[in-house]
Amino acid sequence: MEKHMENGVAHKEVLHDHDVLGKDVTREQAMHFGALTEEELVIEKKLRRKIDALVMPIVVSVYLMNYIDRNNYAAAKLQGLVEELDMTPADYQTGLSILFVGYVLMQVPSNAVLNYVGRPSWYIGFFTLLWGLVSLVTSQVQSYKSIIGARFVLGLVEAPFFPGVLFYLSKWYTKKELNFRMALFYSGSLVSGAFGSLIAAGILSGLKGVRGLSAWRWLYIIEGSITMALGLIVIFFLPALPDTWKKLSPEERHVANRRLAIDAAEADVDIGGAMSQLTGIKLAFTDPKTYVLAIGYHGITGAAGFQNFFPTLTKTLGFGNIPSLLLCAPPYIFMVFWSLGHSHMSDKLGNRFWFYMYPVPIVLVGSLFLLIFIFAMNGTIYAWIANSIPRPPAKRAAALAFINSLTVIAAICGFILRTMLVRDNKMLERMDGQDTELTEKDLKRLRKTAEVEGIDIAAARQLQKGYRYLI
């Protein structure tokens, strides 16, 4: 590209493809640069097998423990946590929701730091070790204030893992490979949904009073210790990134970087420095696709909320506690295999939209078993996020973290709403008294009800008694 002078002012000429490629480069020659050679394809196959064998078992195992650790609080409630720490129902709900505050606050800055540091094994492993330690130390809390503090810190140190792994996988796999790996990663939570409650029940029933400790304390000790051991495995065995993993041969490193560059039509690198991370965050927040994908993922998370009540739903079939927990397992196990097949076909056909859409009408049918199809969409939406916001890596890292954090805000809103309804129900309970003093506001509402229903105030008052908000 040359400059020419016109009226003493320098002007840049327009740059065309042939200026870059050269006039004699044919389309076939140009397309050659956008595909791996036969020798590189052989190396790629070997590389993919190596990464699959090392990465996937580690991240699935850690995610399984992440999900179980997060649900320890609810399991501990059944074995005396609330009574031992003298907690009210409102106190318990505060402890439940405070974890998500720290979880939301840490996700975007954590992924920015992970991308900047470029050492996922040390970074993710350190925080896995740390959240296992926090879980273990939670076994020693003696008051409501201490459990609240422990839960808040647990949210902070758990936050880097999930969005960090999503970003990490997108640094190794191409868009035609990513959906299946995302689904395989998410299968850790499905296995946890199938057996997590039973594992907790086994620990809680067998260790009550051992060494003078309550069963719920043993739950935190055992699962926290397992998580710490997994953290050490992550530190020493999880591969680094293609540019920094020393166990790659020069040929493998070249192919690992080249195939990702071909996949996105540009190199998977940032400009460099801390400023590029801030630029990536800005790019993520100014891209409309970030918000469209966030709304889509938000809807999936909301629809998946039934899993919190799945044992209660299965119990309506008339079985006892243990059979009801066992009945939760088959749908989750089925969905592990279905989602893997679903994601494999999505990668093979190179399509995200239809694989995102077809589970929707199935879930809308609303039967107990068909609700589970909502989980088929998770791997697809994770891959779609990484594919739709591919470069630069700093932008992709921020987008993945932000979108995941929004789903947690939905959980916080749910807990806030529950607290408000509990408060309102107490006020309604006060109104049920036989000789309750009625304020002018109460009388105004009664007159309105009487007017609308065509009854007198006494009948309206009787109609009012016994009403409660559904929680």
Side-chain angles (χ1 to χ4, degrees), residues 47-268:
L47 173 69
R48 189 165 50 239
R49 286 177 178 173
K50 179 187 289 189
I51 298 304
D52 282 343
L54 283 171
V55 170
M56 298 315 301
I58 293 175
V59 297
V60 170
S61 299
V62 179
Y63 189 37
L64 174 63
M65 289 309 302
N66 176 266
Y67 216 78
I68 290 176
D69 281 350
R70 203 181 304 173
N71 293 325
N72 277 349
Y73 189 64
K77 180 188 178 185
L78 302 176
Q79 293 292 329
L81 170 73
V82 171
E83 293 79 11
E84 195 167 330
L85 299 184
D86 194 26
M87 297 168 65
T88 66
D91 292 340
Y92 174 78
Q93 291 300 324
T94 302
L96 198 61
S97 59
I98 196 69
L99 177 140
F100 298 111
V101 176
Y103 197 79
V104 170
L105 291 175
M106 270 291 286
Q107 293 208 19
V108 173
S110 173
N111 256 21
V113 173
L114 171 60
N115 184 50
Y116 178 66
V117 171
R119 296 293 300 272
S121 57
W122 283 94
Y123 189 81
I124 295 174
F126 170 75
F127 278 101
T128 302
L129 195 66
L130 203 56
W131 105 56
L133 178 62
V134 172
S135 184
L136 191 151
V137 170
T138 303
S139 67
Q140 304 305 309
V141 298
Q142 302 296 330
S143 66
Y144 161 67
K145 290 182 179 180
S146 56
I147 190 72
I148 291 297
R151 293 279 296 172
F152 177 74
V153 174
L154 183 64
L156 288 175
V157 296
E158 275 194 354
F161 174 73
F162 188 80
V165 170
L166 294 181
F167 174 66
Y168 170 72
L169 294 177
S170 73
K171 292 285 286 184
W172 275 108
Y173 293 103
T174 67
K175 59 175 175 280
K176 290 186 178 180
E177 303 164 347
L178 199 55
N179 195 346
F180 181 78
R181 272 73 184 185
M182 293 290 192
L184 192 59
F185 170 54
Y186 190 75
S187 68
S189 73
L190 295 176
V191 173
S192 172
F195 300 111
S197 296
L198 287 173
I199 293 171
I203 294 173
L204 291 169
S205 62
L207 289 173
K208 184 177 181 179
V210 175
R211 296 186 178 272
L213 296 177
S214 304
W216 67 268
R217 295 186 185 276
W218 278 112
L219 182 66
Y220 279 107
I221 291 171
I222 292 173
E223 294 186 353
S225 300
I226 294 172
T227 301
M228 290 182 70
L230 285 173
L232 293 174
I233 291 174
V234 172
I235 289 173
F236 291 109
F237 293 100
L238 186 71
L241 299 178
D243 284 328
T244 56
W245 193 29
K246 296 180 180 179
K247 292 186 178 181
L248 287 180
S249 65
E251 294 81 9
E252 288 175 329
R253 179 171 290 106
H254 170 74
V255 170
N257 286 309
R258 179 163 146 72
R259 74 196 202 103
L260 290 174
I262 292 172
D263 188 55
E266 59 181 292
D268 191 34

Side-chain angles (χ1 to χ4, degrees), residues 16-29:
H16 295 88
D17 280 345
H18 69 263
D19 296 314
V20 177
L21 296 173
K23 295 181 180 180
D24 298 327
V25 177
T26 66
R27 174 174 172 78
E28 288 72 21
Q29 290 173 320

Side-chain angles (χ1 to χ4, degrees), residues 297-365:
Y297 188 34
H298 186 83
I300 293 173
T301 304
F306 78 92
Q307 65 183 316
N308 297 317
F309 311 99
F310 208 38
T312 304
L313 294 172
T314 56
K315 196 171 182 179
T316 61
L317 298 175
F319 297 98
N321 289 334
I322 298 301
S324 295
L325 290 173
L326 287 170
L327 284 172
C328 292
Y332 282 109
I333 298 302
F334 165 79
M335 188 44 57
V336 169
F337 293 102
W338 181 274
S339 62
L340 292 178
H342 162 105
S343 299
H344 172 72
M345 291 304 298
S346 175
D347 285 340
K348 186 175 181 179
L349 297 175
N351 183 279
R352 296 287 184 254
F353 174 76
W354 290 113
F355 285 86
Y356 177 84
M357 293 301 296
Y358 86 79
V360 175
I362 299 176
V363 174
L364 287 176
V365 172

